[in-house]
């Protein structure tokens, strides 16, 4: 089968749609989780959702809906524990994580399920999506993205400074619960794409990547969604081509691709922050920079001399070992 | 019909972690008043401000804003709050403009884009604190004093009429304190009510109509404005260590504390 034929297949098209939607929805809500420093919340919800999936498989109900339900309950519980006090918050969360995972494995054992059925949810199985799976996934993903973008100003304010948000009259608790439920929904949307065990990666890694290069919240969330979509679709395509030679699962490929983006962005981020610091203008209103001629200077600064050129008022400074040199007559001044 | 007080605190107590931090506070701020809340570290100034904006539950007693009990109060666009905080950062970068724009949420409706008035108010607020050219920068890249100015701008953006400013000038340089003082003077002329927490009034001093000094969670002085140093006179700050009668400085008209005036107080 040629690649073109393969992408013409229905199951492949469904997989592409699911990958794209997941790639957009997971980082959208993930940005708010990272903003509150709850990067691992997606992971916790993912573990709890295992119980939901196992319940669905055992009772014959749709695992997607039981997972949404149980994950949302788990997310609300996590939120309540978090709100109630910091004292033993992370221990309580850990109990919930392990309880969710163990509960799921236990229930599926009781029901005599094969490991394969649960595995599809633990590690993702993009290519076995049914038509109704796609409809549900689309509806949920659109709801998550719509709410995240539409309520962004409110959600941003609540995550940025909870007390200020409350004094601004926002219903802080309602917004917190909304974020928890949206996180649960996007976990279940993503579970068929990358699997419950890797869900959190798609929520967090694109955000971490975007952050390397952005200075505002809006560009961060937009860039994270773009990167998430790129990694999901790219990962699926890569895995499909690679599968001609060896078996490659899309889920891990997607996550590895997202991590590769991070690995590329990280040094660029360091470099651009370094550059931004050097370009920092002198604070206005400050007294004129001291006029001190530097000592012996064998190097002639000029365009393309290798030192960063910084425009400074009416002349150009050259950044040189952490200080700035400006041409003045036959010598250089320290600026 | 009499105008109701902007803030009315009656016999309010606040406990944090089971420990009483404020005890029996009575405080009424009339509309248009500029009140300076002063006192030593840990005397409960921030806690009182938080209780007044509803961030700390009051046990016993009552807090009213513009005549409405706090539980029922919902006209939050009239309130501006600058918390006492060192940084304005969070897990994801946020630009100066975005943080200031959050102050506008009291006047925005759900799912509506920013109106022209919103943008103008945000712009004005940035202008006042002199951060227009840093608007696109991440707040975390600003200095502590600049971040403090961002928080001031956020409160100004909502165009409130009752301000709670918790040490807004801490770490802010003198020229910018002067700018803030000028802005507050203008707001005061327009009838704004201001409750300010400060250790050093600096350029704000001429604006203050009234000083309230807290000591150990009680109101120790409530009267005409004080000089900065007078707040730390022994009869305000250290109730149990002095052993002589003190001449009261002329401006201290009505100290409320009692045992602090006893010679050789309990120790
Ligand atoms: N979260 C808290 N839990 C328990 N006690 C607290 C808490 N926050 C403050 N306190 C206590 O309440 C008292 C008053 O604190 P508050 O922050 O109101 O003081 P302050 O007058 O604003 O001081 P500062 O000048 O340092 O800002 C302090 O003794 C402090 O130890
Ligand atoms: Mg304080």
């Amino acid at each position: 089968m040629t690649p073109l034929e393969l992408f013409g297949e229905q199951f492949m098209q469904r997989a592409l749609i699911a990958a794209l939607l997941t790639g957009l929805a997971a980082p959208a809500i993930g940005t708010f989780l990272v903003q509150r420093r709850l990067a691992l919340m997606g992971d916790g919800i993912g573990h709890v959702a295992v119980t939901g999936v196992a319940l669905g498989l055992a009772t014959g109900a749709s695992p997607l809906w039981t997972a949404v339900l149980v994950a949302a309950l788990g997310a609300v519980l996590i939120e309540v524990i978090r709100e109630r006090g910091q004292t033993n918050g992370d221990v309580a969360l850990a109990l919930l994580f392990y309880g969710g995972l163990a509960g799921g494995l236990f229930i599926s054992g009781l029901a005599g399920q094969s490991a394969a059925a649960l595995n599809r949810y633990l590690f993702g199985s993009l290519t076995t999506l049914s038509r109704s799976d796609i409809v549900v996934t689309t509806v949920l993903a659109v709801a998550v993205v719509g709410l995240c973008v539409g309520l962004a100003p409110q959600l941003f304010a609540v995550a940025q400074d909870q007390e200020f948000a409350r004094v601004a009259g926002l219903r802080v608790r309602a917004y917190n619960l909304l974020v928890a439920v949206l996180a649960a929904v996007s976990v279940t949307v993503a579970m068929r794409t990358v699997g419950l065990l890797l869900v959190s990666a798609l929520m967090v890694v694109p955000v971490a990547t975007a952050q390397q290069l952005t200075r505002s919240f809006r560009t961060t969330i937009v860039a994270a969604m773009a990167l998430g979509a790129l990694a999901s679709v790219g990962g699926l395509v890569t895995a499909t081509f690679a599968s001609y030679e060896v078996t490659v699962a899309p889920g891990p490929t997607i996550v590895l691709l997202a991590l590769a983006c991070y690995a590329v962005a990280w040094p660029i981020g360091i470099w651009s922050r370094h550059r931004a610091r050097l370009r920092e203008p002198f604070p206005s209103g400050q007294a004129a920079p001291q006029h001190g001629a530097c000592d012996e200077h064998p190097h002639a600064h000029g365009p393309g001399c290798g030192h960063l050129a910084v425009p400074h008022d009416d002349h150009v400074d050259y950044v040189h070992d952490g200080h700035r040199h400006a041409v003045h007559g036959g010598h250089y001044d320290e600026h | 019909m009499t105008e109701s007080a902007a803030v009315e605190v009656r016999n309010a107590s606040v406990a944090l972690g089971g420990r009483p931090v404020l005890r029996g506070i009575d405080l009424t701020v009339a509309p248009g008043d500029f009140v300076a809340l002063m006192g030593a570290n840990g005397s409960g100034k921030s806690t009182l401000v938080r209780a007044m904006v509803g961030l700390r539950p009051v046990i016993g007693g009552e807090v009213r804003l513009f005549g409405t009990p706090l539980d029922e109060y919902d006209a939050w666009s009239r309130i501006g709050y600058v918390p006492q905080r060192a940084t304005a950062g969070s897990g994801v970068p946020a630009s100066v403009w975005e943080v200031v724009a959050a102050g506008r949420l009291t006047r925005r409706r759900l799912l509506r884009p920013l109106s022209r008035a919103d943008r103008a108010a945000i712009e004005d607020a940035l202008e006042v604190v002199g951060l227009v050219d840093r608007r696109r920068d991440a707040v975390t890249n600003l200095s502590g004093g600049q971040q403090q100015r961002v928080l001031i701008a956020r409160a100004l953006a909502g165009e409130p009429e009752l301000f709670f400013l918790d040490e807004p000038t801490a770490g802010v340089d003198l020229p910018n304190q002067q700018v803030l003082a000028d802005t507050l003077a203008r707001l005061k002329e327009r009838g704004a009510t201001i409750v300010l927490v400060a250790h050093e009034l600096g350029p704000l001093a001429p604006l203050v109509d009234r000083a309230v000094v807290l000591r150990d969670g009680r109101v120790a002085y409530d009267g005409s404005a004080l000089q900065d140093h007078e707040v730390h006179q022994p009869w305000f700050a250290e109730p149990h260590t002095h052993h002589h009668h003190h001449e009261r400085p002329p401006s201290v008209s009505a100290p409320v504390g009692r045992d602090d005036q006893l010679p050789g107080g309990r120790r």
Side-chain angles (χ1 to χ4, degrees), chain B residues 16-17 19 21 39-47 56 84 167 199:
Chain B
L16 294 176
R19 200 170 69 82
V21 171
N41 289 141
S43 55
K45 306 178 297 294
S46 297
T47 309
R56 289 276 177 263
Q84 177 182 25
E167 301 197 24
H199 286 288

Side-chain angles (χ1 to χ4, degrees), chain A residues 160-161 163 211 217-218, chain B residues 50 76 88 91 98 137 154:
Chain A
Q160 179 78 19
D161 186 342
E163 301 211 318
Q211 271 189 37
F217 186 81
R218 203 161 65 162
Chain B
R50 286 151 161 273
W76 293 108
E98 285 172 323
D137 286 356
R154 181 175 66 173

